[in-house]
Amino acid sequence: MNVCTNLEPKKVFQFFEEICGIPHGSGNTKKISDYCVDFAKSRGLSYEQDANNNVIIKKPGSAGYEDSQPVIIQGHMDMVCEKESSREIDFTREGLSLYIDGDFLKAEGTTLGGDDGIALAYAFALLDSDTLAHPPLEVVLTVDEETGMLGAESIDVSGLKGRRLLNIDSDEEGVFLTSCAGGLRADCVLPVSYETVEGLEVSLRVHGLLGGHSGAEIHKERANGIVTLGRILQDLETQAGIRIMSAAGGLMDNAIPREAEAKLLIAPGQAGRLEELVQEWEETLQKEFQSSDPGISVSVSREGEGSVPVLEKASQERLLVFLRNMPFGVLNRSLEIPDLVETSLNPGIFQLTEAECQVTFSIRSSVTSRKYEVSNRLRTLTEFLGGTMTVYGDYPAWEYKADSKLRELMRECYRDLFKEEPKIQAIHAGLECGLLSGKLPDLDCISFGPNNFDIHTPKERLSISSTARVWDLIVEFLRRAK
């Protein structure tokens, strides 16, 4: 592609562009993992690659730093693959198309994968350099962080000697994260059955929502496409007698759904009434979400008449009861830390097939008991309606460490470089520091990164100048970490 040729730091952006050319969505990490291994082999660095594709690469300290305590550089290989509906791309086989827009690096119609490709790019630039001063480096690159931190859960880190870990998986420059929520994923499945009915087919679509990261942006209370579709469908059933043929929404459990759609069957005489109701819904939603989702839209189109399979009335009723009663959004806010979400729930994927309806949720909380309380609420609702729920990807919260020499050294480096104090914060989104801290006693962690906006959406954009400043911070920290 060579889009990043003239960007600085040159090596960081060179490696980032190479990474973007390799498909590396969650669950599709073999190629990017092998790329990491080939990188290590070509430079004579020791490495480990496990059966799950996690990779650890080690580099000795530079001259004068050989006996220093190692520093762990950590990030994840997988990215969230979201795209605009008009963008045609096979994320399992194709790389991204990058372009520069002022100070930002973007991808055409898709997520950029700065979360967390930038961690890999920084790590490779450090490993590739023969001029930087640094202690021994232990680079830990995990897989499937975005789908439940599965790589961090499975990786064997018992061979690591470092106890200072830089997690480069944050997206706001000048903010050092020192604790995060725990979380889990839940799949709720309801059995469904169909019958054949004659009528007019129509397509209903909810679109124009902003979406976003279900941890980092859940507090903005943006519209959720799946929840919004459920509201509309229940009303249309009551007032226009709709029958549901198919329905779907969302692509990732940890991304707030930006779109949802359904194919419906109605009596031909109800078409005009249906269109009036949809127009009323669009006006209502635009008023409700005028601040958070100003572009929200609801559209309907007539397809043609025929005899088609639709959900049996009992199945449709169970589905709508579930969609209208499932908990979602911000459930609790911290009473100790201002502006911090404590517990939340995001229905991120909705699929209706020939045999079942499945909704996948991301549950997050910094209070373990509340994480499981939300999970139990979902299970109760699902099982009451005759369905089943499966929980996986359960990861712990990362607890704040009051005495952190790492944090103080990073704060000192930031203050000296940029003449201002960094912010020390907790975050509602999940980070791998919690799992890794449980595996490495006395691990001292901090999470940070460059400005990367609207992650987990096709509007994702990485600041070029911020990427350079954070590189300077990493280099300075390593110089002082002797």
Side-chain angles (χ1 to χ4, degrees):
M1 289 184 287
N2 297 323
V3 172
C4 301
T5 301
N6 297 320
L7 300 183
E8 294 289 346
K10 189 174 294 293
K11 283 290 185 179
V12 173
F13 282 106
Q14 172 194 322
F15 289 124
F16 185 77
E17 187 163 11
E18 290 180 13
I19 291 162
C20 289
I22 303 169
H24 59 285
S26 301
N28 182 38
T29 54
K30 177 59 175 171
K31 289 183 179 178
I32 190 67
S33 179
D34 288 345
Y35 169 87
C36 297
V37 169
D38 291 341
F39 173 93
K41 285 181 178 179
S42 67
R43 289 157 178 81
L45 301 173
S46 64
Y47 69 91
E48 301 170 26
Q49 181 185 39
D50 67 21
N52 295 315
N53 295 326
N54 295 302
V55 174
I56 296 175
I57 304 173
K58 297 180 180 180
K59 181 182 181 181
S62 61
Y65 289 73
E66 297 92 342
D67 297 326
S68 300
Q69 182 193 44
V71 172
I72 303 170
I73 308 293
Q74 195 269 320
H76 61 88
M77 300 180 219
D78 62 311
M79 65 172 284
V80 169
C81 295
E82 275 268 13
K83 70 180 188 69
E84 299 287 359
S85 57
S86 59
R87 175 76 160 94
E88 293 193 7
I89 181 173
D90 182 352
F91 282 113
T92 66
R93 301 177 61 185
E94 301 176 52
L96 309 178
S97 298
L98 305 185
Y99 69 99
I100 297 170
D101 181 8
D103 183 48
F104 295 107
L105 186 61
K106 302 178 180 180
E108 294 180 6
T110 70
T111 40
L112 175 66
D115 176 16
D116 194 24
I118 195 60
L120 275 67
Y122 282 138
F124 293 149
L126 293 172
L127 293 170
D128 188 63
S129 173
D130 57 7
T131 60
L132 295 176
H134 60 80
L137 300 178
E138 298 176 324
V139 174
V140 178
L141 305 175
T142 55
V143 298
D144 300 338
E145 186 268 357
E146 300 289 5
T147 52
M149 304 197 186
L150 306 182
E153 183 178 31
S154 66
I155 193 170
D156 180 1
V157 292
S158 59
L160 297 183
K161 296 181 179 179
R163 291 299 182 269
R164 298 178 290 178
L165 185 146
L166 305 183
N167 170 268
I168 310 176
D169 191 17
S170 182
D171 56 10
E172 187 176 358
E173 182 190 350
V175 174
F176 295 159
L177 301 178
T178 55
S179 66
C180 74
L184 57 81
R185 295 179 72 193
D187 285 343
C188 297
V189 176
L190 299 175
V192 297
S193 55
Y194 292 78
E195 62 181 339
T196 300
V197 176
E198 187 174 347
L200 174 66
E201 299 176 37
V202 297
S203 292
L204 176 71
R205 183 167 170 246
V206 178
H207 53 105
L209 288 66
L210 287 178
H213 191 295
S214 69
E217 296 178 299
I218 198 75
H219 65 287
K220 297 178 180 178
E221 301 192 26
R222 292 174 177 170
N224 180 301
I226 297 171
V227 174
T228 305
L229 179 67
R231 290 178 64 186
I232 298 171
L233 290 178
Q234 185 185 54
D235 185 56
L236 296 184
E237 180 191 52
T238 301
Q239 300 203 56
I242 58 114
R243 302 294 298 275
I244 299 174
M245 298 167 54
S246 64
L251 297 173
M252 299 291 295
D253 69 286
N254 54 5
I256 302 169
R258 297 176 294 107
E259 297 182 358
E261 59 186 5
K263 286 193 175 182
L264 311 173
L265 193 74
I266 59 171
Q270 288 288 339
R273 175 59 177 156
L274 178 74
E275 290 165 350
E276 290 176 0
L277 291 169
V278 169
Q279 179 61 38
E280 291 174 5
W281 265 108
E282 182 174 72
E283 293 171 0
T284 297
L285 294 169
Q286 287 176 346
K287 184 175 181 180
E288 283 187 17
F289 296 101
Q290 58 184 327
S291 297
S292 64
D293 294 85
I296 192 169
S297 181
V298 187
S299 56
V300 65
S301 60
R302 305 185 191 189
E303 303 293 333
E305 296 187 36
S307 185
V308 297
V310 298
L311 288 179
E312 287 185 341
K313 289 190 176 180
S315 292
Q316 179 165 311
E317 191 64 28
R318 285 195 298 271
L319 170 61
L320 292 179
V321 168
F322 185 85
L323 293 178
R324 295 299 293 121
N325 288 278
M326 62 186 184
F328 69 93
V330 176
L331 303 181
N332 299 97
R333 295 180 183 270
S334 174
L335 299 179
E336 299 175 348
I337 304 175
D339 302 320
L340 178 67
V341 175
E342 178 202 87
T343 306
S344 75
L345 178 63
N346 179 62
I349 307 172
F350 168 41
Q351 298 173 316
L352 182 59
T353 68
E354 293 181 359
E356 63 186 31
C357 162
Q358 177 174 312
V359 184
T360 300
F361 296 83
S362 174
I363 300 173
R364 305 175 191 268
S365 183
S366 51
V367 177
T368 301
S369 60
R370 280 188 164 160
K371 178 176 68 174
Y372 295 127
E373 163 61 15
V374 176
S375 175
N376 289 335
R377 284 177 63 187
L378 266 185
R379 187 180 298 279
T380 299
L381 175 62
T382 304
E383 292 180 351
F384 179 79
L385 294 172
T388 59
M389 188 176 95
T390 303
V391 169
Y392 52 105
D394 191 347
Y395 59 91
W398 168 29
E399 297 184 1
Y400 177 77
K401 188 179 179 72
D403 180 21
S404 169
K405 294 180 180 179
L406 170 63
R407 182 176 65 242
E408 292 311 308
L409 180 55
M410 283 290 289
R411 190 203 301 259
E412 176 186 298
C413 291
Y414 188 90
R415 184 171 53 234
D416 291 348
L417 281 175
F418 307 118
K419 311 307 178 187
E420 63 181 24
E421 284 288 335
K423 298 177 182 178
I424 308 298
Q425 293 183 356
I427 190 173
H428 184 58
L431 293 167
E432 293 164 296
C433 299
L435 278 166
L436 295 174
S437 293
K439 296 186 176 192
L440 293 171
D442 301 319
L443 185 66
D444 199 356
C445 308
I446 194 166
S447 181
F448 64 98
N451 289 328
N452 192 27
F453 301 101
D454 290 322
I455 60 175
H456 296 192
T457 81
K459 296 183 183 298
E460 182 181 3
R461 57 202 186 278
L462 176 68
S463 168
I464 297 167
S465 60
S466 179
T467 300
R469 288 190 295 272
V470 170
W471 169 252
D472 291 341
L473 176 64
I474 295 170
V475 170
E476 180 62 17
F477 169 82
L478 292 175
R479 188 185 70 81
R480 298 189 189 190
K482 190 172 182 179

